[in-house]
Amino acid sequence: MTRKDAMERARAWYDDDKEGYFPTLARHVAIPTESQEPSRLSELYRYHAEETRPAFEAMGFEVEVYDNPVEGQGPVMLASRIEDPALPTVLGYGHGDVVRGQEDRWTKGEGPWVLARDGDKVYGRGTADNKGQLVTHIGAYKAVLETRGTLGFNAKFMIETGEENGSQGLKQLVAENREAFAADALFASDGPRADRNRANLTLGSRGALNFELSVNLREGAHHSGNWGGLLANPGIILAHALATITDARGRILVEGWRPENVPRNLRDILRGATAEKGPGAPEIDPDWGEPGLTAAEKLATWNSFEVLAFVTGIPDAPLNAVPPTARAVCQLRYIPETKGSDIVPALREHLDRHGFSMVEILPPPSGNAGGFEAARTDPDHPWAKWVEGAVGRAAGTPPVVTPSTGGSICNDVFAEVLDIPFVWLPLSYAGCSQHAPDEHILVPLIREGLGLVTGVYWDLGDPETRYRP
């Protein structure tokens, strides 16, 4: 039996309309695991009880479901199959929770909780993020076990149900159960490809910090005819404060938010890389952001600041009055060369220096300040090189390697708590409507991805190609 046999078995499972990939994914999608809705907590437990736990136990994994240490947050499942303590242990990761379904806004398929196919697109909440990618790893384990009889390595797989809510409690839970989650390396799938036409690997993710800027000058609004020109307008003040954070083309101006000493090898591996977004995606604005960087470099090796929401007065029913307050919810996506703990102090110093001491920096309205620290595996790490080789053997051509995804995920747990390298094999694409209505996956990408994941697991268990930490 060979890698090719295992990959063919995985693809046969994918094509099985009765018990294969899509019937399995349909069951996963049907459970409304909206982690941002407190009323869905029972659904997060049901997801493990009805889908993930039985699937892993059927493959000989021991399964433990941990309650989250943060009240109201979803559980975390850990499946473990230890074949030989002398073999390397590879941890997998997926998240079974999804963002809100937004049922009334879907224009394709049959709504968020019903899997529906239209040509090469398969619609449903969680198809791209992350149930569709998680299920490929289940299928890959199954294919290797049925082909070889053993995995040939030790496998652990973590499935959390709170990633879309900032992975609250995950770092604490893993730290308190570090031995159970211990491994030599992590291999997982989430996010979109940077280049849709080739297999991609990502070695980390940017961090995310959300915060609110607020100007609160007085109680109540005051007639703009009687008071206009006499009272300071908080909306104007906040607009000018925001204008000092970036220039008119989005170039960051805050000292401390402009990364220094970005490793040269990151730029080297991005040479010639694109940021292809796929059909239906908006056109990239080439002159937005940091000048002199390619689109791929802006996403993987630089920080980005966004104003997510801005309000002053009552936009839907404006009064002829000077408003008393103004608020903007903002976000900084940042790379590891910027320390998360330095972000707010740097902004405070910047605003004070520009005369905006009246602008407060507050936690965002939801209380979720982003939750993810930036983290990255060095491109020259042996695990990064090994996975690159394994994916290349399975694909028949070298994969595209990017230092970081533009988005954020819990890589800080693997880097800081478990102290292991991590490599991601994304199986979606940027035009998938992730977090929006009409979320979907592309049939060819997932089918190819299932084969690639199977190839990696096969090589992990082959004595000729096995990773040796």
Side-chain angles (χ1 to χ4, degrees):
M1 294 294 184
T2 65
R3 180 194 310 112
K4 181 180 178 181
D5 295 322
M7 293 172 66
E8 288 179 352
R9 186 182 291 272
R11 286 189 284 262
W13 176 75
Y14 182 91
D15 295 332
D16 185 347
D17 291 335
K18 294 183 178 180
E19 299 181 358
Y21 176 83
F22 286 110
T24 302
L25 181 58
R27 296 195 309 269
H28 283 243
V29 168
I31 300 177
T33 51
E34 300 166 295
S35 60
Q36 298 159 336
E37 294 290 346
S39 63
R40 295 297 200 186
L41 182 60
S42 62
E43 299 292 345
L44 304 181
Y45 278 92
R46 182 165 77 94
Y47 180 71
H48 286 319
E50 295 184 5
E51 289 302 326
T52 58
R53 181 171 202 142
F56 279 93
E57 287 181 337
M59 295 186 292
F61 284 72
E62 295 183 2
V63 176
E64 180 82 21
V65 176
Y66 296 87
D67 293 329
N68 198 304
V70 176
E71 185 177 357
Q73 299 302 306
V76 177
M77 192 196 86
L78 178 67
S80 303
R81 181 185 167 105
I82 308 301
E83 295 186 351
D84 182 347
L87 294 172
T89 300
V90 174
L91 177 66
Y93 168 90
H95 65 89
D97 66 311
V98 298
V99 297
R100 292 180 177 91
Q102 301 171 291
E103 288 92 338
D104 59 340
R105 296 179 57 197
W106 286 61
T107 64
K108 304 289 186 181
E110 300 177 44
W113 316 122
V114 179
L115 204 67
R117 180 169 177 172
D118 182 8
D120 279 345
K121 295 181 177 180
V122 178
Y123 293 91
R125 178 61 85 216
T127 50
D129 187 19
N130 173 251
K131 293 175 178 179
Q133 304 201 49
L134 185 162
V135 170
T136 64
H137 285 258
I138 295 174
Y141 283 136
K142 185 173 181 290
V144 171
L145 285 168
E146 291 177 353
T147 304
R148 186 158 52 203
T150 66
L151 290 177
F153 63 97
N154 300 320
K156 296 182 180 181
F157 205 93
M158 172 202 309
I159 301 176
E160 68 159 316
T161 55
E163 192 273 347
E164 301 294 5
N165 208 21
S167 291
Q168 296 180 60
L170 181 64
K171 185 176 287 188
Q172 178 185 341
L173 188 153
V174 173
E176 292 173 352
N177 300 275
R178 191 179 186 280
E179 189 61 32
F181 288 89
D184 295 301
L186 177 129
F187 174 65
S189 295
D190 196 353
R193 287 181 170 185
D195 184 338
R196 196 161 61 101
N197 300 312
R198 291 171 60 189
N200 286 199
L201 296 178
T202 55
L203 306 180
S205 58
R206 293 194 293 185
L209 183 71
N210 293 0
F211 54 90
E212 180 181 307
L213 298 182
S214 175
V215 179
N216 189 348
L217 298 185
R218 61 187 68 88
E219 291 291 331
H222 294 270
H223 191 284
S224 58
N226 296 331
W227 293 97
L230 304 179
L231 294 180
N233 188 303
I236 294 173
I237 291 172
L238 186 53
H240 280 274
L242 289 168
T244 72
I245 295 175
T246 77
D247 67 12
R249 301 306 303 169
R251 178 178 181 267
I252 290 175
L253 302 177
V254 178
E255 188 177 340
W257 286 14
R258 296 181 54 78
E260 298 179 354
N261 303 318
V262 176
R264 184 180 182 86
N265 61 352
L266 303 187
R267 299 274 168 78
D268 290 342
I269 64 174
L270 285 172
R271 189 173 292 117
T274 63
E276 184 266 341
K277 296 301 183 184
E283 290 293 323
I284 293 172
D285 294 313
D287 60 345
W288 185 264
E290 183 65 17
L293 299 183
T294 66
E297 289 171 339
K298 290 175 185 178
L299 288 175
T301 68
W302 204 252
N303 298 337
S304 64
F305 172 74
E306 301 296 337
V307 177
L308 306 179
F310 187 118
V311 64
T312 188
I314 308 172
D316 292 334
L319 306 173
N320 287 320
V322 180
T325 63
R327 300 166 53 209
V329 179
C330 305
Q331 180 185 80
L332 186 73
R333 299 273 184 173
Y334 61 97
I335 64 173
E337 283 67 35
T338 298
K339 291 184 179 181
S341 59
D342 293 343
I343 292 172
V344 170
L347 179 59
R348 180 73 274 161
E349 191 279 332
H350 172 88
L351 292 174
D352 290 348
R353 181 158 42 87
H354 284 80
F356 294 106
S357 58
M358 75 293 290
V359 177
E360 295 183 271
I361 306 174
L362 305 171
S366 66
N368 176 13
F372 301 115
E373 292 281 349
R376 181 196 306 122
T377 296
D378 191 302
D380 295 325
H381 191 284
W383 177 240
K385 293 298 185 184
W386 185 91
V387 177
E388 182 178 357
V391 172
R393 288 189 291 272
T397 186
V400 174
V401 180
T402 56
S404 295
T405 61
S408 304
I409 202 167
C410 55
N411 279 318
D412 53 325
V413 174
F414 314 127
E416 297 174 15
V417 180
L418 296 179
D419 192 23
I420 59 174
F422 41 88
V423 177
W424 298 78
L425 177 69
L427 305 179
S428 184
Y429 80 113
C432 68
S433 298
Q434 173 187 355
H435 289 193
D438 301 338
E439 179 182 349
H440 62 276
I441 51 174
L442 294 180
V443 171
L445 287 189
I446 292 291
R447 192 175 192 275
E448 178 193 15
L450 174 60
L452 297 177
V453 175
T454 303
V456 171
Y457 286 152
W458 182 270
D459 280 5
L460 274 170
D462 187 333
E464 297 298 319
T465 55
R466 178 176 296 144
Y467 175 63
R468 292 172 173 80

PDB file of all heavy atoms in Angstrom, residues 14 120-122 196 279 427-429 440-447:
ATOM      1  N   TYR A  14     -14.829  10.883  -0.469  1.00  0.00           N
ATOM      2  CA  TYR A  14     -15.338  12.209  -0.815  1.00  0.00           C
ATOM      3  C   TYR A  14     -16.486  12.096  -1.817  1.00  0.00           C
ATOM      4  O   TYR A  14     -17.487  12.816  -1.714  1.00  0.00           O
ATOM      5  CB  TYR A  14     -14.200  13.050  -1.416  1.00  0.00           C
ATOM      6  CG  TYR A  14     -14.584  14.463  -1.779  1.00  0.00           C
ATOM      7  CD1 TYR A  14     -14.439  15.496  -0.863  1.00  0.00           C
ATOM      8  CD2 TYR A  14     -15.073  14.767  -3.039  1.00  0.00           C
ATOM      9  CE1 TYR A  14     -14.776  16.799  -1.194  1.00  0.00           C
ATOM     10  CE2 TYR A  14     -15.422  16.067  -3.380  1.00  0.00           C
ATOM     11  CZ  TYR A  14     -15.273  17.076  -2.457  1.00  0.00           C
ATOM     12  OH  TYR A  14     -15.621  18.369  -2.786  1.00  0.00           O
ATOM     13  N   ASP A 120     -20.064  24.118  -8.689  1.00  0.00           N
ATOM     14  CA  ASP A 120     -18.884  23.833  -7.870  1.00  0.00           C
ATOM     15  C   ASP A 120     -18.941  24.496  -6.503  1.00  0.00           C
ATOM     16  O   ASP A 120     -17.990  24.378  -5.730  1.00  0.00           O
ATOM     17  CB  ASP A 120     -17.609  24.279  -8.591  1.00  0.00           C
ATOM     18  CG  ASP A 120     -17.152  23.268  -9.624  1.00  0.00           C
ATOM     19  OD1 ASP A 120     -17.631  22.116  -9.587  1.00  0.00           O
ATOM     20  OD2 ASP A 120     -16.304  23.631 -10.472  1.00  0.00           O
ATOM     21  N   LYS A 121     -20.035  25.188  -6.188  1.00  0.00           N
ATOM     22  CA  LYS A 121     -20.164  25.852  -4.898  1.00  0.00           C
ATOM     23  C   LYS A 121     -21.122  25.080  -4.002  1.00  0.00           C
ATOM     24  O   LYS A 121     -22.202  24.675  -4.437  1.00  0.00           O
ATOM     25  CB  LYS A 121     -20.641  27.294  -5.071  1.00  0.00           C
ATOM     26  CG  LYS A 121     -19.641  28.190  -5.797  1.00  0.00           C
ATOM     27  CD  LYS A 121     -20.147  29.619  -5.915  1.00  0.00           C
ATOM     28  CE  LYS A 121     -19.109  30.516  -6.584  1.00  0.00           C
ATOM     29  NZ  LYS A 121     -19.584  31.922  -6.707  1.00  0.00           N
ATOM     30  N   VAL A 122     -20.719  24.881  -2.752  1.00  0.00           N
ATOM     31  CA  VAL A 122     -21.560  24.211  -1.769  1.00  0.00           C
ATOM     32  C   VAL A 122     -21.790  25.176  -0.612  1.00  0.00           C
ATOM     33  O   VAL A 122     -20.834  25.603   0.053  1.00  0.00           O
ATOM     34  CB  VAL A 122     -20.918  22.905  -1.272  1.00  0.00           C
ATOM     35  CG1 VAL A 122     -21.800  22.240  -0.213  1.00  0.00           C
ATOM     36  CG2 VAL A 122     -20.693  21.944  -2.437  1.00  0.00           C
ATOM     37  N   ARG A 196      -5.188  30.661  -5.284  1.00  0.00           N
ATOM     38  CA  ARG A 196      -6.213  29.628  -5.431  1.00  0.00           C
ATOM     39  C   ARG A 196      -5.778  28.477  -6.322  1.00  0.00           C
ATOM     40  O   ARG A 196      -6.338  27.380  -6.264  1.00  0.00           O
ATOM     41  CB  ARG A 196      -7.501  30.266  -5.993  1.00  0.00           C
ATOM     42  CG  ARG A 196      -8.740  29.422  -5.835  1.00  0.00           C
ATOM     43  CD  ARG A 196      -9.978  30.277  -5.980  1.00  0.00           C
ATOM     44  NE  ARG A 196     -10.069  30.914  -7.274  1.00  0.00           N
ATOM     45  CZ  ARG A 196     -10.841  30.482  -8.268  1.00  0.00           C
ATOM     46  NH1 ARG A 196     -11.597  29.425  -8.097  1.00  0.00           N
ATOM     47  NH2 ARG A 196     -10.885  31.126  -9.406  1.00  0.00           N
ATOM     48  N   PRO A 279     -13.112  34.796  -7.763  1.00  0.00           N
ATOM     49  CA  PRO A 279     -14.292  35.457  -8.345  1.00  0.00           C
ATOM     50  C   PRO A 279     -15.241  35.969  -7.286  1.00  0.00           C
ATOM     51  O   PRO A 279     -15.432  35.353  -6.249  1.00  0.00           O
ATOM     52  CB  PRO A 279     -14.927  34.323  -9.172  1.00  0.00           C
ATOM     53  CG  PRO A 279     -14.421  33.056  -8.546  1.00  0.00           C
ATOM     54  CD  PRO A 279     -13.046  33.358  -8.066  1.00  0.00           C
ATOM     55  N   LEU A 427      -7.818  25.412   2.950  1.00  0.00           N
ATOM     56  CA  LEU A 427      -8.528  24.702   1.883  1.00  0.00           C
ATOM     57  C   LEU A 427      -9.685  25.508   1.316  1.00  0.00           C
ATOM     58  O   LEU A 427     -10.452  24.990   0.496  1.00  0.00           O
ATOM     59  CB  LEU A 427      -9.054  23.353   2.418  1.00  0.00           C
ATOM     60  CG  LEU A 427      -8.006  22.427   3.051  1.00  0.00           C
ATOM     61  CD1 LEU A 427      -8.665  21.160   3.562  1.00  0.00           C
ATOM     62  CD2 LEU A 427      -6.901  22.099   2.065  1.00  0.00           C
ATOM     63  N   SER A 428      -9.818  26.770   1.722  1.00  0.00           N
ATOM     64  CA  SER A 428     -10.880  27.610   1.197  1.00  0.00           C
ATOM     65  C   SER A 428     -10.269  28.658   0.261  1.00  0.00           C
ATOM     66  O   SER A 428      -9.095  28.565  -0.104  1.00  0.00           O
ATOM     67  CB  SER A 428     -11.636  28.265   2.351  1.00  0.00           C
ATOM     68  OG  SER A 428     -12.722  29.013   1.867  1.00  0.00           O
ATOM     69  N   TYR A 429     -11.057  29.666  -0.094  1.00  0.00           N
ATOM     70  CA  TYR A 429     -10.547  30.762  -0.924  1.00  0.00           C
ATOM     71  C   TYR A 429     -11.196  32.060  -0.460  1.00  0.00           C
ATOM     72  O   TYR A 429     -12.214  32.049   0.243  1.00  0.00           O
ATOM     73  CB  TYR A 429     -10.801  30.498  -2.411  1.00  0.00           C
ATOM     74  CG  TYR A 429     -12.206  30.795  -2.899  1.00  0.00           C
ATOM     75  CD1 TYR A 429     -12.449  31.825  -3.796  1.00  0.00           C
ATOM     76  CD2 TYR A 429     -13.295  30.045  -2.459  1.00  0.00           C
ATOM     77  CE1 TYR A 429     -13.735  32.105  -4.249  1.00  0.00           C
ATOM     78  CE2 TYR A 429     -14.579  30.314  -2.905  1.00  0.00           C
ATOM     79  CZ  TYR A 429     -14.790  31.344  -3.805  1.00  0.00           C
ATOM     80  OH  TYR A 429     -16.067  31.620  -4.237  1.00  0.00           O
ATOM     81  N   HIS A 440     -19.678  29.540   1.450  1.00  0.00           N
ATOM     82  CA  HIS A 440     -19.598  28.336   0.634  1.00  0.00           C
ATOM     83  C   HIS A 440     -18.165  27.860   0.490  1.00  0.00           C
ATOM     84  O   HIS A 440     -17.207  28.579   0.807  1.00  0.00           O
ATOM     85  CB  HIS A 440     -20.187  28.590  -0.753  1.00  0.00           C
ATOM     86  CG  HIS A 440     -19.449  29.655  -1.518  1.00  0.00           C
ATOM     87  ND1 HIS A 440     -19.703  30.997  -1.360  1.00  0.00           N
ATOM     88  CD2 HIS A 440     -18.440  29.577  -2.439  1.00  0.00           C
ATOM     89  CE1 HIS A 440     -18.903  31.705  -2.149  1.00  0.00           C
ATOM     90  NE2 HIS A 440     -18.118  30.868  -2.818  1.00  0.00           N
ATOM     91  N   ILE A 441     -18.025  26.631   0.018  1.00  0.00           N
ATOM     92  CA  ILE A 441     -16.736  26.068  -0.360  1.00  0.00           C
ATOM     93  C   ILE A 441     -16.769  25.726  -1.840  1.00  0.00           C
ATOM     94  O   ILE A 441     -17.838  25.649  -2.450  1.00  0.00           O
ATOM     95  CB  ILE A 441     -16.401  24.796   0.457  1.00  0.00           C
ATOM     96  CG1 ILE A 441     -17.573  23.806   0.417  1.00  0.00           C
ATOM     97  CG2 ILE A 441     -16.011  25.144   1.874  1.00  0.00           C
ATOM     98  CD1 ILE A 441     -17.279  22.471   1.073  1.00  0.00           C
ATOM     99  N   LEU A 442     -15.595  25.524  -2.400  1.00  0.00           N
ATOM    100  CA  LEU A 442     -15.477  25.105  -3.792  1.00  0.00           C
ATOM    101  C   LEU A 442     -15.158  23.618  -3.843  1.00  0.00           C
ATOM    102  O   LEU A 442     -14.201  23.159  -3.215  1.00  0.00           O
ATOM    103  CB  LEU A 442     -14.381  25.895  -4.504  1.00  0.00           C
ATOM    104  CG  LEU A 442     -14.619  27.399  -4.691  1.00  0.00           C
ATOM    105  CD1 LEU A 442     -13.441  28.031  -5.420  1.00  0.00           C
ATOM    106  CD2 LEU A 442     -15.916  27.661  -5.444  1.00  0.00           C
ATOM    107  N   VAL A 443     -15.954  22.865  -4.583  1.00  0.00           N
ATOM    108  CA  VAL A 443     -15.788  21.415  -4.663  1.00  0.00           C
ATOM    109  C   VAL A 443     -14.366  21.013  -5.070  1.00  0.00           C
ATOM    110  O   VAL A 443     -13.752  20.159  -4.415  1.00  0.00           O
ATOM    111  CB  VAL A 443     -16.834  20.816  -5.626  1.00  0.00           C
ATOM    112  CG1 VAL A 443     -16.545  19.345  -5.898  1.00  0.00           C
ATOM    113  CG2 VAL A 443     -18.226  20.975  -5.038  1.00  0.00           C
ATOM    114  N   PRO A 444     -13.765  21.595  -6.120  1.00  0.00           N
ATOM    115  CA  PRO A 444     -12.424  21.149  -6.509  1.00  0.00           C
ATOM    116  C   PRO A 444     -11.365  21.398  -5.436  1.00  0.00           C
ATOM    117  O   PRO A 444     -10.474  20.562  -5.250  1.00  0.00           O
ATOM    118  CB  PRO A 444     -12.130  21.971  -7.773  1.00  0.00           C
ATOM    119  CG  PRO A 444     -13.461  22.412  -8.274  1.00  0.00           C
ATOM    120  CD  PRO A 444     -14.304  22.606  -7.060  1.00  0.00           C
ATOM    121  N   LEU A 445     -11.456  22.531  -4.722  1.00  0.00           N
ATOM    122  CA  LEU A 445     -10.446  22.840  -3.710  1.00  0.00           C
ATOM    123  C   LEU A 445     -10.521  21.868  -2.537  1.00  0.00           C
ATOM    124  O   LEU A 445      -9.491  21.410  -2.030  1.00  0.00           O
ATOM    125  CB  LEU A 445     -10.616  24.268  -3.199  1.00  0.00           C
ATOM    126  CG  LEU A 445     -10.219  25.408  -4.128  1.00  0.00           C
ATOM    127  CD1 LEU A 445     -10.248  26.733  -3.376  1.00  0.00           C
ATOM    128  CD2 LEU A 445      -8.847  25.190  -4.737  1.00  0.00           C
ATOM    129  N   ILE A 446     -11.734  21.542  -2.100  1.00  0.00           N
ATOM    130  CA  ILE A 446     -11.870  20.645  -0.961  1.00  0.00           C
ATOM    131  C   ILE A 446     -11.476  19.226  -1.348  1.00  0.00           C
ATOM    132  O   ILE A 446     -10.820  18.514  -0.569  1.00  0.00           O
ATOM    133  CB  ILE A 446     -13.313  20.684  -0.415  1.00  0.00           C
ATOM    134  CG1 ILE A 446     -13.592  22.047   0.219  1.00  0.00           C
ATOM    135  CG2 ILE A 446     -13.540  19.576   0.605  1.00  0.00           C
ATOM    136  CD1 ILE A 446     -12.821  22.317   1.500  1.00  0.00           C
ATOM    137  N   ARG A 447     -11.839  18.803  -2.539  1.00  0.00           N
ATOM    138  CA  ARG A 447     -11.464  17.454  -2.986  1.00  0.00           C
ATOM    139  C   ARG A 447      -9.946  17.320  -3.074  1.00  0.00           C
ATOM    140  O   ARG A 447      -9.353  16.344  -2.619  1.00  0.00           O
ATOM    141  CB  ARG A 447     -12.104  17.126  -4.330  1.00  0.00           C
ATOM    142  CG  ARG A 447     -12.004  15.647  -4.734  1.00  0.00           C
ATOM    143  CD  ARG A 447     -12.765  15.402  -6.021  1.00  0.00           C
ATOM    144  NE  ARG A 447     -12.925  13.978  -6.275  1.00  0.00           N
ATOM    145  CZ  ARG A 447     -12.035  13.196  -6.869  1.00  0.00           C
ATOM    146  NH1 ARG A 447     -10.865  13.723  -7.256  1.00  0.00           N
ATOM    147  NH2 ARG A 447     -12.259  11.922  -7.076  1.00  0.00           N
TER     148      ARG A 447
END
